[in-house]
Amino acid sequence: MSINRVNISGNLTRDPELRATAGGTQVLSFGVAVNDRRKNPQTGDWEDYPNFVDCTMFGTRAEAVSRYLSKGTKVAIEGKLRYSSWDKDGQRRSKLEVVVDEVEFMSSRQRAEQGNPPYVAERPQAAPQAYAPQPAPQWSAQQAYRNPPATTSQRPQAPAPQAPQAYAPQPVQPELYDEDIPF
């Protein structure tokens, strides 16, 4: 069995490039810089060493995502590795890239520049009076005793808290060892 899953997070190294195949499928290409931290043997300080990863996304999601990505945007990517090779000018070329399945926007700068990102649903605004507290009816003790009101409050009542479920311990099965089993 083989597993081909990749999870990376980093910043876009360039603006994404959106193209279309001859069949009309949208293809989004971009690069992500992922830092690797290593200790410098001479100074003893930790230093960042960048890895540059090419990423590709396909389909209608690629077109939608392209509107929200730009150089410097911090993203988290989930996808799979794909190896490609081709001939160019008589030389064999190859590259390893990530085919993106999921993108999560992580830049607060990007959210501030573009408002709410597309994956955040807007909350409907309720009328200001709809949830305004209502005054409780005023009753004296004698009035309440003689003529109890049909409802004691105009507000809906919260459900009564339920008692927590009692914990019932489960019987413990004894462990059996090879020595315990007669042959």
Side-chain angles (χ1 to χ4, degrees):
M1 178 170 96
S2 297
I3 298 174
N4 184 3
R5 297 303 305 161
V6 176
N7 290 302
I8 61 172
S9 68
N11 297 329
L12 266 64
T13 59
R14 61 183 186 272
D15 286 332
E17 178 185 331
L18 184 64
R19 306 182 314 273
T21 64
T25 303
Q26 299 292 323
V27 180
L28 182 67
S29 300
F30 55 94
V32 177
V34 180
N35 285 335
D36 188 19
R37 293 188 54 86
R38 288 186 253 173
K39 199 170 199 175
N40 186 325
Q42 284 84 22
T43 64
D45 293 334
W46 288 94
E47 295 178 352
D48 288 336
Y49 292 92
N51 294 304
F52 299 101
V53 181
D54 289 328
C55 299
T56 304
M57 189 174 199
F58 297 96
T60 55
R61 289 180 52 206
E63 182 180 5
V65 167
S66 70
R67 290 180 261 158
Y68 299 98
L69 294 178
S70 61
K71 181 178 179 177
T73 303
K74 186 164 185 68
V75 293
I77 304 287
E78 182 180 338
K80 58 188 170 215
L81 289 175
R82 181 176 70 176
Y83 175 79
S84 303
S85 61
W86 64 96
D87 287 323
K88 183 176 182 179
D89 299 330
Q91 291 188 352
R92 191 78 178 152
R93 306 276 178 148
S94 64
K95 74 174 182 176
L96 193 60
E97 65 183 340
V98 175
V99 176
V100 178
D101 293 330
E102 301 291 330
V103 175
E104 182 177 337
F105 304 107
M106 299 177 70
S107 288
S108 58
R109 179 184 72 181
Q110 179 228 352
R111 289 186 186 134
E113 289 173 358
Q114 299 185 3
N116 288 334
Y119 55 86
V120 176
E122 292 289 327
R123 286 191 188 146
Q125 296 296 322
Q129 299 301 323
Y131 297 107
Q134 302 294 323
Q138 301 296 320
W139 298 91
S140 68
Q142 288 179 344
Q143 287 175 328
Y145 180 74
R146 291 185 191 146
N147 299 319
T151 60
T152 57
S153 174
Q154 300 293 339
R155 288 181 252 164
Q157 296 295 321
Q162 296 180 359
Q165 298 291 330
Y167 173 74
Q170 299 295 322
V172 177
Q173 297 291 330
E175 292 186 28
L176 295 177
Y177 298 99
D178 289 341
E179 299 87 34
D180 298 335
I181 301 172
F183 289 111

